[in-house]
Amino acid sequence: MDISRRLAILIFCGVPAIVGGGIIYGATDSMTAMWIYEVLLLITAGALISR
């Protein structure tokens, strides 16, 4: 996988991290729930990049 595709995957996962993190925090008012969401996104992005 070339570097441009890896960067595109990181950007594609970065937008949901910012927006989704705010939505999760706003809905639950819990930093723990937000961090769990962020870690799940990080694991998913890592799996996509490592392929």
Side-chain angles (χ1 to χ4, degrees), residues 27-41:
T28 63
D29 201 29
S30 169
M31 290 295 283
T32 305
M34 186 204 59
W35 282 111
I36 291 171
Y37 174 76
E38 298 290 333
V39 167
L40 289 174
L41 277 176

Side-chain angles (χ1 to χ4, degrees), residues 12 16 20 25 44 46 48:
F12 183 74
Y25 180 75
T44 304
L48 289 173

